[in-house]
Amino acid sequence: MNSGTMIDCPSCGATNRRGSHFCNECGQPMPAQTSLRCPECGAANPIGNTYCDQCNARLTRGLMPSGGDEQPESAGQEEEAPSGLLAQLDRSGRQRSGSAQAPSGAGQSFGVPEWLRDLEAEAGGRGEPGAGLSVGQPDEPPVAAADLYAAKPAMPASPSGDIGGMADWLAEPEPGDIGAGIGDRQEQFPESAAAQPPPAFGPSEVPDWLLEMAPPEIVGRKPAAEPTQSAAPPAAPRPAPPGAAEIPDWLLDVAPPDVAAPAAAPAGVDELPERRLQEPAGAGLHDIPDWLSDIGADTVPFAGEGAGVGGPTEEQVPEVLAPDSFGVPDWLSDIAPDEVSGGPEAAEADEWPEQRPPGPAAPGPAEVPDWLAEIAADESDLLPELTDEPDLSAMLADAAAAATATEGVGLPDWLQDLEPDSGAAEIQPGEAPPPALPTAPAEAEGVPDWLRAVDAGASGAPVAAPAGGAHAAQVPDWLTDLRPEDTVEEGPPVSAAVGPLGPPPGTGPVEAAIPEWLQAMREQQQSPGVAPEDEPVETTGLLEGLRGVIPAQSIEVPAPLPEVAPEVGEAAAARAQLLQSLLVPAGEKAPVEARKREVSTGERIARWLVFAVVVLPIAVVVGWPVFAGESEVLILTEPQSASAEDLFEAIEGLEAGDVALVAFEYGPAEAGELGVLAKPILWHLEEKGAVIWVRTTRSDGQALADALRVDMSITEQYTPTYGSSAYVPGGAVGVARALARCDRQDPGSDPSECPDIVLVLAGQMAPLQWWVEQVQARDIRPPVVAAVGASVVPAANPYLAANGGRIAGLVGGLAGAAAYEAQLGNVLSPTTRMLNGLAAGHLTVAALMVVGALFYGLTGSRRRQGQ
Amino acid sequence: MTEGGTLTEAIGAAIGAGLTLLIFSYMLGDNPLYRLALHIFLGILIGYSFGVVVRDILFIRLLEPLAERKWEFFVPLLLAIVLMTKGVRRQAYIGNMATGLLIGVGTAVALSGALLGTLIPQVAATGRAMAVGGADLSQLDGWLLVGRGALVVLGTVCALMAFYFTAHKQRGLAGLWSRLVALAGGAGRLFLTSAFAAAFAGALTSALSLLAERLYRIIDFFARLLTPS
């Protein structure tokens, strides 16, 4: 319940502080009007108040149509109690024009249409001027707002048909009827109802809610089952929400007189509330638009079932009928004449209480919305002089034109429908032209009293047209307040049909924009020399469509700093180079040097030249005897070596049956040299009758041994015999295993199985070392002789016994082989030819080295001088 | 080609001569023929080595004893399997034991042989070179013997001094010693350079020997073809 400082949210019921625009719990917009403005004195009262705190005027109004029997009273009531906004305004107009029946509380003057005035006149002629809804008697005790909406099965019937402030017909409106007012009139004036032809008003042009109020014979519907009079107890009225405001009179009987008359007698006044409250079958009361329902359940008298969501359209006319005769919705109350605005209407309003005819105190006029009051105050000069018979339609049209010039925001649909087809009304783009309001016939049947009263009052009381017209009226403040702060600035114009919840469907999304409060937080950095509007628009990402979010900045590449070479002394540079040479591993340099480069033609020629110089002499020397026949061989060197003699002597000392362990420790690449060297030694061993054991630590050693034997059988016509052949892997460990029989400490060893001599045929130094060292590590140390390649001789010389080593004899290279063959007496062996070729090669290489050294020695000095 | 040479021998000789020429083509630069001969040589070598290892080591020295139920040979089999884990980086630590055993045994065998066969004899020989007391200095041979001995000792010491890099300039007696060490190191580098030069000469001689032998083979082959036997 709304209190003085707190108000309840109409959506979720949460308590919010007065003045809040949005609910803190659900976020729904709060009713803009958080207080009721007294129509009498203009003071702000809490919404829950029924009477003004200042002047005790009644704040909320109910809709109570008066029955036919109550015409005089209703007329009186109509005079003394302005039941509807229009009536109130009409009364104000009458007051302005000096009418005695000027109603009170009118803040603005509305022009009553002709058809309405005709109805009023007719009703007035029949003694029921302004017969319509009347609010509770002023003498009646105030009724709590909650009671007004309470479902009361039976309410005390009053002569005027009021039921504790709420008309019976308003309590339980029945479907199928347009309005109680019309029905009442028909009841009251059956003659006129029968005489009057049914209004020619198409159902497509009249809002449904209005059609529901019309008599069945007007709209061609099946009449209600039993139209009940005020005497009949009304059906249980639908409990209206608390704080419902009365439906303006002029709003209820908007239906033109040419509306099809209902088939049956109109429902009694008691049924109007039901008709208005209940959703009729088939036709269906139009749903209360969301903008109306969300404004406040406490103010909106009736949010019908199936209220439409998304706001009303032009076709939808919000259901504004309030079952409660006391409560006037805020939005509707705002439409009421505003006495606070201080216009002439206010002065007129003040006069109303004095001019009020005796009788029940007229209830306070409904509050005129601010937007309407402002327009009326501002555009008062635009409004035509009100005559006794103001032209409501013209006023509406003028006001519409004026409002269009100001803001151009349309009125709600229900208000738009009030305006007759006026060409001056500005239609919002995209909106269908509103249906032309039907003009009431001069003698309309079933004109409700309240409407008649309005019409009667309109004779003297000019009713100013709503500011801005029915279509293009400015947005009321209460509506503006409901609008979110971050409303899109650019977008389709909001029509009158647009509710506070947003644009009507179909308008589509609105381009987003940065709210002002967010823009204020943005850094004031703009691209130099670029106007905000000229800044580029973001095309991708989350900022797509926005401008100036990221200021465009030119990318300036800083100028590189000038490189200043440090001054380094020569000594420091030399130390740096030395350090670099020590730090950089040698392997890192190899890839750079080993980088393959293209061979130029000069290099190719040089290669061919070197090949020819080196190869040709050797080939000539080696091949000369072959082509020249068995001539004397040019022997450049005489093979003679002391070490070869020692080897010869060592083998010569063997006896038949001695074991000679021959270690084949060279590979295929060295087989050309070592094979030549091994042949005479093996032949000598074979000649001595020694048993040759072949041992090798290489996997291909045995193959080389076999190949040597085959070659000897071909070239020497001699095939040596191998006693055994074995592969002993593991390097020194394998050699040690091979010599295991030479250890007397080995339990399985047999000294007789220890070789008598070890001949090592090595192409590398390492295998020779293994054999020499391992033999020295044995208990039985047979003599070790070696036949090595020319490259191993320098490293093997320290191991000679003559030099303190353990090698008894050593021959190396082709020279050693030639020398050994000379020892054997074979001088013209192929080895000698190859040795001559080797000698020729030596001479060639030596000559090249001397020539190159002289060449670079002479030219190098010039190159250094040039540098 | 000798009399009675068979066709297979001739074919073998021809193939050998052809491959030899392909290898010699490297003197003209890297070329596909050289690479062809090289690939053939390496492929045959690796294949034959693999076959020898499998036959002589795996089958004869491991599987046959195991087949004879000599269970002590299960240990080298286990060690061999464990050693193969060295190929997998994550499980390489498993073969550390087998690797340690190999290195340990080999180091032990090599160390004993190096001491007995190289270090001690070489030191003894150097000492004997200094023993010039028995030299007849009245003869040239005596002086050559002494000179040779001194040269050996001097060369040995100086070569060792060449690997002394921590000497730095100092004053006084220490500085004199540093300068002496630097001088000996320089001489040692000369000896080392001479030794390297002799090694280079030997390698060159070996290469030329191989060239001569190969040329002899090729010329003899063609001579036999051209000269009817």
Side-chain angles (χ1 to χ4, degrees):
Chain A
M1 178 174 292
N2 297 325
S3 60
T5 58
M6 305 299 289
I7 57 175
D8 296 334
C9 174
S11 300
C12 63
T15 303
N16 293 269
R17 192 164 52 184
R18 186 177 296 280
S20 301
H21 295 285
F22 296 94
C23 176
N24 294 329
E25 295 293 333
C26 63
Q28 295 296 327
M30 297 286 287
Q33 185 177 0
T34 58
S35 62
L36 289 176
R37 186 171 297 180
C38 176
E40 298 288 349
C41 63
N45 294 271
I47 295 179
N49 285 8
T50 305
Y51 293 93
C52 176
D53 293 340
Q54 301 298 328
C55 63
N56 201 30
R58 196 174 186 83
L59 298 177
T60 57
R61 296 291 179 265
L63 300 178
M64 295 184 59
S66 57
D69 302 336
E70 302 169 3
Q71 295 179 12
E73 295 181 2
S74 62
Q77 293 174 359
E78 183 266 338
E79 293 182 358
E80 57 187 66
S83 59
L85 176 62
L86 196 58
Q88 298 172 9
L89 296 177
D90 194 25
R91 283 190 289 272
S92 67
R94 275 184 265 146
Q95 183 180 11
R96 193 178 304 167
S97 60
S99 170
Q101 295 181 345
S104 61
Q108 282 188 342
S109 60
F110 281 88
V112 181
E114 289 290 341
W115 63 271
L116 200 59
R117 285 199 301 274
D118 296 339
L119 291 176
E120 187 75 14
E122 180 179 350
R126 295 174 186 162
E128 45 174 339
L133 300 176
S134 60
V135 195
Q137 303 300 327
D139 294 338
E140 291 181 0
V143 179
D147 299 336
L148 298 178
Y149 302 102
K152 298 179 180 179
M155 298 184 69
S158 60
S160 62
D162 296 342
I163 306 176
M166 180 173 68
D168 295 339
W169 63 267
L170 190 59
E172 292 183 3
E174 291 183 358
D177 299 332
I178 294 182
I182 300 178
D184 292 339
R185 294 178 189 272
Q186 291 182 348
E187 293 177 359
Q188 298 168 4
F189 307 98
E191 303 82 1
S192 62
Q196 291 294 329
F201 188 81
S204 61
E205 302 175 2
V206 178
D208 294 345
W209 64 270
L210 196 59
L211 292 178
E212 300 301 332
M213 296 191 302
E217 54 271 22
I218 298 180
V219 295
R221 293 202 204 99
K222 197 173 183 181
E226 293 181 3
T228 57
Q229 296 295 332
S230 59
R238 175 175 177 174
E246 103 182 352
I247 304 300
D249 301 339
W250 62 272
L251 189 62
L252 290 177
D253 289 338
V254 169
D258 55 347
V259 173
V269 295
D270 297 334
E271 300 174 353
L272 182 58
E274 297 180 358
R275 292 196 295 270
R276 292 177 178 174
L277 289 177
Q278 297 178 4
E279 191 167 341
L285 288 175
H286 273 269
D287 300 331
I288 296 295
D290 293 342
W291 62 270
L292 188 60
S293 64
D294 292 340
I295 291 175
D298 53 345
T299 55
V300 177
F302 167 59
E305 294 178 350
V309 180
T313 61
E314 291 189 7
E315 292 73 18
Q316 286 184 346
V317 178
E319 181 64 54
V320 297
L321 301 179
D324 187 10
S325 58
F326 290 91
V328 178
D330 295 339
W331 56 270
L332 208 55
S333 303
D334 293 339
I335 304 177
D338 189 4
E339 301 170 344
V340 186
S341 58
E345 297 78 6
E348 298 173 353
D350 295 336
E351 299 175 0
W352 285 6
E354 299 175 2
Q355 300 178 0
R356 190 174 305 170
E367 298 181 0
V368 179
D370 298 337
W371 59 272
L372 203 58
E374 294 173 357
I375 293 177
D378 296 335
E379 306 297 338
S380 59
D381 53 340
L382 299 179
L383 298 175
E385 289 295 332
L386 299 177
T387 58
D388 293 341
E389 296 182 356
D391 187 9
L392 180 59
S393 59
M395 291 184 178
L396 288 174
D398 295 339
T404 304
T406 57
E407 291 188 10
V409 178
L411 287 172
D413 292 346
W414 57 269
L415 192 58
Q416 295 178 7
D417 296 337
L418 296 179
E419 182 183 11
D421 45 355
S422 169
E426 182 173 340
I427 300 176
Q428 296 296 333
E431 293 182 4
L437 295 176
T439 57
E443 296 179 353
E445 289 183 293
V447 178
D449 298 338
W450 61 271
L451 186 60
R452 198 170 294 111
V454 171
D455 192 9
S459 59
V463 179
H471 295 280
Q474 68 176 6
V475 179
D477 293 342
W478 58 267
L479 188 61
T480 305
D481 295 337
L482 294 177
R483 185 184 303 173
E485 297 181 355
D486 298 337
T487 307
V488 179
E489 299 179 1
E490 298 179 359
V494 181
S495 62
V498 176
L501 295 183
T507 58
V510 183
E511 181 181 359
I514 301 178
E516 297 179 354
W517 63 270
L518 188 59
Q519 288 185 358
M521 298 171 60
R522 188 173 61 182
E523 293 183 2
Q524 300 300 326
Q525 294 181 359
Q526 295 180 355
S527 304
V530 179
E533 56 277 6
D534 297 336
E535 292 186 357
V537 180
E538 302 293 334
T539 57
T540 58
L542 301 177
L543 302 178
E544 182 177 358
L546 300 180
R547 186 192 302 271
V549 178
I550 300 177
Q553 296 179 354
S554 61
I555 299 176
E556 296 181 358
V557 179
L561 297 176
E563 295 183 358
V564 179
E567 296 180 359
V568 180
E570 294 182 0
R575 286 194 293 269
Q577 290 181 357
L578 176 62
L579 180 62
Q580 184 178 5
S581 62
L582 295 176
L583 294 178
V584 176
E588 294 184 1
K589 299 180 181 179
V592 178
E593 296 176 354
R595 191 169 45 191
K596 185 177 180 180
R597 58 187 177 87
E598 297 182 358
V599 178
S600 62
T601 305
E603 291 183 357
R604 294 183 183 274
I605 296 175
R607 288 182 182 181
W608 279 100
L609 184 62
V610 172
F611 172 76
V613 170
V614 173
V615 173
L616 287 180
I618 296 176
V620 168
V621 170
V622 171
W624 178 264
V626 174
F627 296 102
E630 293 293 335
S631 60
E632 291 184 0
V633 178
L634 178 62
I635 299 176
L636 300 179
T637 58
E638 182 177 357
Q640 186 176 5
S641 171
S643 61
E645 292 177 357
D646 296 336
L647 177 57
F648 182 82
E649 293 299 331
I651 295 176
E652 191 66 24
L654 294 177
E655 297 177 357
D658 288 344
V659 175
L661 191 149
V662 181
F664 283 83
E665 303 290 352
Y666 62 91
E670 300 142 345
E673 183 181 13
L674 273 295
V676 174
L677 186 61
K679 286 179 182 178
I681 299 176
L682 290 179
W683 183 87
H684 192 197
L685 289 174
E686 193 73 16
E687 284 293 322
K688 295 304 293 180
V691 177
I692 299 175
W693 287 358
V694 177
R695 299 291 183 265
T696 178
T697 59
R698 297 173 60 96
S699 58
D700 53 354
Q702 290 179 299
L704 291 174
D706 294 336
L708 180 63
R709 189 172 62 173
V710 171
D711 186 45
M712 290 181 64
S713 64
I714 296 174
T715 58
E716 305 296 331
Q717 298 180 357
Y718 171 74
T719 303
T721 304
Y722 295 153
S724 66
S725 179
Y727 168 51
V728 287
V733 177
V735 173
R737 180 182 174 82
L739 298 174
R741 306 298 179 96
C742 298
D743 289 334
R744 296 191 179 90
Q745 298 178 359
D746 188 357
S749 62
D750 184 359
S752 60
E753 296 181 357
C754 185
D756 298 303
I757 190 170
V758 176
L759 175 61
V760 181
L761 303 176
Q764 303 292 334
M765 188 60 196
L768 179 64
Q769 283 182 329
W770 298 339
W771 286 102
V772 171
E773 293 173 355
Q774 294 306 316
V775 167
Q776 296 302 317
R778 302 278 83 84
D779 297 331
I780 300 175
R781 300 174 184 175
V784 178
V785 292
V788 295
S791 61
V792 183
V793 172
N797 276 331
Y799 288 89
L800 283 174
N803 298 329
R806 297 290 184 267
I807 297 176
L810 179 64
V811 292
L814 292 179
Y820 198 86
E821 287 182 355
Q823 293 292 328
L824 295 176
N826 187 1
V827 177
L828 297 178
S829 63
T831 303
T832 304
R833 296 181 189 178
M834 286 183 283
L835 184 60
N836 292 332
L838 178 60
H842 279 165
L843 291 176
T844 304
V845 172
L848 288 175
M849 291 176 65
V850 171
V851 172
L854 291 176
F855 178 80
Y856 282 103
L858 294 176
T859 59
S861 60
R862 293 183 181 179
R863 199 177 302 109
R864 284 191 296 270
Q865 291 176 3
Q867 292 178 352
Chain B
M1 189 174 292
T2 58
E3 296 181 356
T6 59
L7 182 61
T8 55
E9 294 174 359
I11 293 174
I15 292 175
L19 292 176
T20 301
L21 293 177
L22 295 179
I23 295 296
F24 283 166
S25 65
Y26 187 75
M27 286 187 289
L28 303 178
D30 192 5
N31 56 84
L33 297 178
Y34 164 76
R35 292 189 174 272
L36 174 63
L38 190 64
H39 284 75
I40 292 174
F41 168 71
L42 293 176
I44 292 174
L45 178 63
I46 294 174
Y48 180 81
S49 300
F50 179 77
V52 170
V53 170
V54 171
R55 183 192 66 178
D56 292 345
I57 305 303
L58 189 63
F59 287 141
I60 295 177
R61 299 194 181 188
L62 183 62
L63 297 183
E64 288 184 1
L66 288 176
E68 295 175 359
R69 299 185 179 183
K70 295 181 181 179
W71 305 116
E72 62 270 19
F73 287 91
F74 184 79
V75 175
L77 176 62
L78 181 62
L79 290 176
I81 294 173
V82 170
L83 192 60
M84 285 191 294
T85 59
K86 281 296 186 180
V88 183
R89 181 172 297 181
R90 291 187 177 182
Q91 285 77 25
Y93 68 95
I94 301 176
N96 289 345
M97 187 176 61
T99 304
L101 183 62
L102 284 175
I103 295 176
V105 173
T107 301
V109 171
L111 185 60
S112 61
L115 285 174
L116 297 178
T118 302
L119 187 59
I120 293 177
Q122 293 296 327
V123 173
T126 302
R128 280 198 296 273
M130 293 299 293
V132 295
D136 184 6
L137 297 180
S138 61
Q139 302 293 330
L140 183 60
D141 295 339
W143 286 102
L144 293 176
L145 183 61
V146 173
R148 213 172 84 181
L151 189 63
V152 170
V153 174
L154 186 62
T156 301
V157 173
C158 291
L160 292 176
M161 288 295 182
F163 297 97
Y164 189 79
F165 298 104
T166 59
H168 54 276
K169 293 183 178 180
Q170 292 182 358
R171 292 185 178 180
L173 190 62
L176 179 63
W177 171 250
S178 297
R179 285 192 290 271
L180 187 62
V181 170
L183 182 62
R189 282 189 282 274
L190 291 177
F191 282 102
L192 291 174
T193 303
S194 301
F196 292 148
F200 174 74
L204 181 61
T205 301
S206 178
L208 292 176
S209 299
L210 292 173
L211 176 61
E213 191 269 341
R214 286 288 95 192
L215 290 176
Y216 173 77
R217 295 285 185 177
I218 295 172
I219 294 174
D220 186 70
F221 172 77
F222 286 105
R224 292 178 181 275
L225 290 178
L226 298 178
T227 305
S229 57

